[in-house]
Amino acid sequence: MSNLLSTLNAAAGSMRALERALSVVQNNVSNISTAGYAKQRVSFIPNAFQPDLGLPGGLQGIAVISARSSYAERAVWTQAERFGRLDQLGVSLAGLEPAFDITGQGGLASALDALYRSFSAWSVVPNDGTARQNVIQRAGETASAFSHLAGAIQRSGDTASVDIRSTVAKINDLAGQIRDINIELRRNHAQRQDANLDARIQSTLEELSHLAGITVLEQPDGTLNLLLGGQSPLVMGDTLYAITAEFSGSAKIADWQGRDISGLIQQGRLGGLLEFRNQHIPGYLTELNRLAQSLADRVNGLLRTGVDLNGAPGSGLFTYNPALGAAASLRVALTPAQLAASLPGEEGGNGVALSLAGLVSSQEIDGLTFTQFYGNLAAEVGRTLNSARQAGYVQGLTLTQARNLRAEISSVSLDEEAVHLIQFQRAYQAAAKMVSVLDEMTETLLGMVR
């Protein structure tokens, strides 16, 4: 009788274990669309089977094991960091590129061409008031085109600054969520086995990696420490070390102690924004200012060699403030009558006007004409954008590949879960049948005793 009862107890224990196994399958199916969720697997724990010692076997319980692969997760984070930088560079450069019009239909290229044509027309009739007025007007349009382009570049930098602030705020918010999860884990150690909490953690870490390069260090108690750039603490246990964005000339990221850690942030969207704001924007402005200053100085220098309609020494056509940037501050400083078309001793001549007309093909800056220099600058913006887009496309494929590999390892498959469901149901039915048979046998034995 005792053996019969122990066998009945073992069968009941198996049913309880199989019920838990079925609940794991149900949880997997319910979370098939949950971001960051990794499927769970069941490992059955058997009871000792030694009939001579009255140990009937059966199932003691189950162990629930996550299918998550740390290697696969880290591979996704690494690829997400790289993609985030390239994608952000592409977005930022795409917003700036239209300002560099090289079609000749508008923008600085068109203004320069119109200025050269006005010089050429003036050289034919150097004393004509209309031709002189046309030079002044085209010079003003050229100055406006320089100012407009400089403003567009600066506005792109300002937009990047706003994006840097919002990205820093998002990083701090996500890091704060990890800090809060760490607090939960320390309060209730059993939550380490919570698949939904684990999904929250992994989803947050992937989003963080997309924003900035992070290093994740798992601690023995299940909490996570996060480092920016592998060095600067962001989260340590239950403490958040928030970062801040500072703008004193270049954009800087400061740690919780105010130290500049910008050099540590090379990846993620924040890395791309810092690169665009601190390298590309100043570089383009510097080259544009060189062009504006060279053009103004060359035109002014030629005009100062001549005399105006009144026989007075020639003056510069353009003025600018180097402290504000030649491109942004370029202005016209003369009236039509003050334009010096002739050289001294050839009153009424066109020597200076002819030299100005020759600027269209004269190599004045880095062995290039002013128009060619501008074309190279515009082309550099396009090449950088195209390079970022192409590299971003390849990196996007690599990221997708890493995510697919992770999915093969840890994502929920309905077909696989259906197989496990049938398997556990059949086992449960078998255990239930055994309980039913054992129950009948027990009733029969008890009836015989009576």
Side-chain angles (χ1 to χ4, degrees):
M1 185 71 176
S2 61
N3 288 338
L4 188 61
L5 293 176
S6 64
T7 303
L8 180 61
N9 185 57
S14 297
M15 290 180 66
R16 287 192 295 271
L18 289 164
E19 283 179 354
R20 288 194 59 200
L22 286 167
S23 68
V24 170
V25 173
Q26 180 182 4
N27 190 52
N28 284 340
V29 173
S30 299
N31 285 282
I32 191 170
S33 299
T34 300
Y37 183 83
K39 64 186 176 186
Q40 293 181 305
R41 285 291 162 254
V42 172
S43 177
F44 290 99
I45 304 173
N47 282 317
F49 180 65
Q50 292 181 286
D52 295 342
L53 298 178
L55 301 176
L59 297 177
Q60 184 182 96
I62 64 170
V64 180
I65 304 170
S66 174
R68 188 177 305 283
S69 166
S70 297
Y71 172 81
E73 292 294 345
R74 293 179 189 277
V76 170
W77 300 339
T78 299
Q79 303 307 327
E81 292 170 5
R82 296 170 181 170
F83 176 75
R85 169 186 164 271
L86 293 168
D87 186 54
Q88 182 60 60
L89 267 180
V91 170
S92 298
L93 288 165
L96 176 60
E97 185 193 30
F100 288 85
D101 187 348
I102 58 175
T103 64
Q105 303 301 312
L108 184 54
S110 176
L112 287 172
D113 181 63
L115 179 63
Y116 295 143
R117 284 189 278 108
S118 73
F119 285 152
S120 179
W122 179 40
S123 69
V124 176
V125 284
N127 299 316
D128 182 72
T130 300
R132 287 171 169 270
Q133 180 61 45
N134 190 43
V135 168
I136 296 298
Q137 183 175 344
R138 298 297 175 255
E141 291 171 355
T142 300
S144 295
F146 270 110
S147 179
H148 178 78
L149 182 53
I153 296 173
Q154 188 60 57
R155 285 191 295 275
S156 290
D158 293 341
T159 298
S161 297
V162 172
D163 290 342
I164 287 171
R165 286 192 179 94
S166 63
T167 302
V168 165
K170 184 62 175 177
I171 289 172
N172 287 332
D173 177 64
L174 293 172
Q177 294 179 33
I178 295 295
R179 183 270 316 274
D180 294 341
I181 290 173
N182 284 346
I183 293 173
E184 290 181 39
L185 289 171
R186 285 185 171 176
R187 288 175 178 171
N188 184 2
H189 190 69
Q191 288 196 77
R192 292 182 63 181
Q193 307 301 320
D194 184 347
N196 291 313
L197 180 62
D198 179 61
R200 280 175 51 200
I201 292 172
Q202 300 305 323
S203 180
T204 303
L205 291 177
E206 183 172 345
E207 190 173 357
L208 256 176
S209 68
H210 190 70
L211 298 178
I214 60 170
T215 299
V216 182
L217 304 175
E218 185 172 359
Q219 303 304 298
D221 61 358
T223 59
L224 300 174
N225 291 342
L226 305 184
L227 303 176
L228 274 175
Q231 298 183 45
S232 182
L234 183 60
V235 176
M236 303 296 286
D238 56 3
T239 303
L240 168 65
Y241 296 95
I243 59 176
T244 55
E246 300 176 357
F247 301 90
S248 53
S250 62
K252 297 179 182 178
I253 305 300
D255 68 4
W256 61 287
Q257 292 180 316
R259 295 174 300 193
D260 184 5
I261 59 170
S262 305
L264 299 177
I265 304 173
Q266 302 294 326
Q267 301 296 337
R269 288 199 172 275
L270 185 56
L273 285 166
L274 288 173
E275 180 179 338
F276 179 74
R277 172 65 170 73
N278 293 341
Q279 298 179 35
H280 295 287
I281 291 297
Y284 298 144
L285 276 176
T286 297
E287 293 301 285
L288 185 64
N289 285 329
R290 280 185 64 205
L291 175 60
Q293 184 171 342
S294 296
L295 175 67
D297 289 349
R298 184 64 172 134
V299 170
N300 290 348
L302 289 172
L303 286 170
R304 287 180 180 130
T305 65
V307 293
D308 64 17
L309 287 176
N310 300 316
S315 300
L317 175 61
F318 294 108
T319 183
Y320 59 86
N321 185 343
L324 299 177
S329 61
L330 194 65
R331 299 291 184 272
V332 173
L334 297 182
T335 63
Q338 292 174 311
L339 287 172
S342 59
L343 293 169
E346 61 164 25
E347 284 74 5
N350 63 352
V352 173
L354 283 173
S355 296
L356 289 171
L359 290 178
V360 67
S361 59
S362 178
Q363 296 177 343
E364 300 288 341
I365 178 171
D366 294 349
L368 302 169
T369 67
F370 293 124
T371 301
Q372 288 172 338
F373 184 87
Y374 170 72
N376 278 3
L377 176 58
E380 177 60 26
V381 177
R383 283 193 298 268
T384 305
L385 171 59
N386 187 57
S387 177
R389 281 175 170 169
Q390 289 185 345
Y393 174 74
V394 173
Q395 187 59 45
L397 294 178
T398 305
L399 174 58
T400 299
Q401 185 179 37
R403 284 173 172 163
N404 289 340
L405 176 60
R406 179 182 63 182
E408 290 179 9
I409 297 172
S410 61
S411 67
V412 177
S413 166
L414 289 178
D415 291 340
E416 189 177 1
E417 297 306 318
V419 171
H420 289 142
L421 178 64
I422 294 172
Q423 177 186 355
F424 297 151
Q425 282 181 333
R426 295 282 174 81
Y428 184 88
Q429 291 169 357
K433 184 64 175 178
M434 178 173 286
V435 169
S436 177
V437 171
L438 291 172
D439 180 62
E440 292 178 6
M441 292 177 63
T442 303
E443 288 292 334
T444 300
L445 287 174
L446 289 174
M448 293 173 61
V449 171
R450 294 192 190 98

